[in-house]
């Protein structure tokens, strides 16, 4: 009985490691678990207290402003999730085009 559970959990661990490797690969997985969703350079961090969130947002994280940009997180319903895959430079070009078109 003990050997059976060890074999079962070893197999389970191998399956989980394979799943993790697939999800961390450059191809990644979509929300439905299908291949084809590359990782993004965007992240969201949740804080337990308002004080720690304020400290993190006011701290200089890097001298290069294009490396890391810290802003307050919007509500999840306000996020257009497909735009998270747009690279920062492409987003800047889009902003410039919109700015030029409006003004």
């Amino acid at each position: 009985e003990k050997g059976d559970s060890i074999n079962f959990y070893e197999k389970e661990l191998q399956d989980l490691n394979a799943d993790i490797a697939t999800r961390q690969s450059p191809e990644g997985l979509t929300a439905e678990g299908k291949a084809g969703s590359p990782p993004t350079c965007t992240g969201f961090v949740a804080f337990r207290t308002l004080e720690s969130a304020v400290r993190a947002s006011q701290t200089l994280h890097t001298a290069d402003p294009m490396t890391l940009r810290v802003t307050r997180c919007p509500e999840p319903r306000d996020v257009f999730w497909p735009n998270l895959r747009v690279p920062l430079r492409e987003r800047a070009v889009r902003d410039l085009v919109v700015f030029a078109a409006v003004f």
Side-chain angles (χ1 to χ4, degrees):
E1 183 179 303
K2 188 174 186 176
D4 290 338
S5 63
I6 290 174
N7 291 337
F8 171 78
Y9 286 111
E10 282 180 348
K11 174 72 171 121
E12 188 75 17
L13 185 60
Q14 288 174 353
D15 292 343
L16 289 172
N17 284 334
D19 186 43
I20 289 169
T22 302
R23 290 175 186 267
Q24 290 179 341
S25 70
E27 295 81 30
L29 294 176
T30 62
E32 296 82 27
K34 299 177 183 173
S37 179
T40 67
C41 61
T42 303
F44 295 95
V45 179
F47 295 94
R48 293 179 197 250
T49 65
L50 180 60
E51 179 185 358
S52 59
V54 170
R55 283 184 182 176
S57 68
Q58 293 178 350
T59 303
L60 178 62
H61 297 281
T62 180
D64 183 8
M66 296 301 284
T67 303
L68 182 65
R69 185 171 59 173
V70 179
T71 59
R72 294 193 62 198
C73 182
E75 290 289 323
R77 65 178 177 265
D78 295 337
V79 176
F80 187 64
W81 295 99
N83 276 352
L84 294 182
R85 293 190 190 101
V86 178
L88 184 61
R89 295 191 193 283
E90 184 178 336
R91 196 175 305 152
V93 170
R94 288 181 181 186
D95 289 345
L96 183 63
V97 169
V98 170
F99 181 77
V102 172
F103 298 106

